[in-house]
Amino acid sequence: RKPLNVLSNNSIGKHIRHIIEFYDLMMIGNETGAANYDDRSHVKVLEENRVLAIEKLNALGIEILDFKEDQPLEMSANYNIEEESPIAISTTLYRELQYNIEHAVHHMAIIKIALFNEFPEINIAEGFGIAYSTIKYQRDSECAQ
C-alpha cells in the first residue's frame, strides 16, 4: 500500500490491481465476445488487501485453466485523450491471454525493481519479472557455452 518513490509514488498494490483488472476484462471478453482494457474499475480494495488480491488471482487462474478453445474477440481502445473515439480491433481470446501474460510479466519486473530498492530483505524467485523467452534464451546460451 505504501507509495514508493521508485514507482512515481505508486504502490506495489496498484500494479497488482492493474494486472488483475486486465485479466478480469479479458474474462469479460471471454463471456461477451468484446473486451476494452480502458474500462478498468480501479477497485482500491484490490490494491490494499493482499488476501483478496491473492484470492482473485487464484480464481482467475482456475477460470483460465478452464478455457476449452480459442474464440474471436473484438477489442475496443481509445487513443484520443480529447474525446471518446474508440477503435475496434479484431483479436482472439488466446491472443489476449498471451498479451495479458506479457503485460503481467512487465508489471512484475517493475514490482521487482521496487522490491529490490525498498524491501531488500524480501527474497524474490529467480525468474520473477522475466519473460519466459528471456529465461529460455539465457538458459540455452549458458548450455551452449
Side-chain angles (χ1 to χ4, degrees):
R1 290 184 269 182
K2 179 182 175 184
L4 303 173
N5 286 335
V6 72
L7 297 179
S8 301
N9 287 322
N10 288 299
S11 67
I12 290 171
K14 285 187 181 200
H15 284 270
I16 300 296
R17 183 224 356 113
H18 181 76
I19 293 167
I20 290 169
E21 288 179 342
F22 267 60
Y23 275 99
D24 260 347
L25 290 164
M26 180 192 70
M27 298 310 289
I28 290 169
N30 183 40
E31 295 297 319
T32 66
N36 184 338
Y37 297 119
D38 295 338
D39 286 343
R40 296 185 307 278
S41 56
H42 301 272
V43 177
K44 196 168 179 73
V45 70
L46 282 174
E47 64 190 61
E48 295 181 346
N49 184 326
R50 74 177 168 82
V51 173
L52 183 62
I54 291 167
E55 288 173 355
K56 183 66 177 169
L57 286 167
N58 287 332
L60 286 165
I62 290 167
E63 286 183 72
I64 290 166
L65 289 173
D66 201 34
F67 286 172
K68 300 293 186 237
E69 59 186 42
D70 201 4
Q71 66 177 23
L73 294 179
E74 184 171 297
M75 189 179 87
S76 297
N78 183 27
Y79 295 103
N80 185 333
I81 60 171
E82 303 299 327
E83 61 186 61
E84 280 298 310
S85 57
I87 59 170
I89 302 164
S90 295
T91 185
T92 70
L93 176 62
Y94 287 2
R95 172 63 187 98
E96 293 309 305
L97 176 59
Q98 189 273 336
Y99 167 77
N100 272 281
I101 291 167
E102 296 299 325
H103 176 254
V105 170
H106 163 76
H107 280 276
M108 290 161 59
I110 294 169
I111 291 166
K112 185 178 189 177
I113 292 167
L115 291 172
F116 277 145
N117 281 278
E118 301 288 334
F119 308 100
E121 69 280 3
I122 294 177
N123 293 322
I124 304 166
E126 189 175 330
F128 185 84
I130 302 174
Y132 302 106
S133 59
T134 302
I135 293 170
K136 184 177 182 324
Y137 173 79
Q138 290 170 342
R139 183 197 65 211
D140 293 350
S141 296
E142 290 172 6
C143 291
Q145 295 176 359

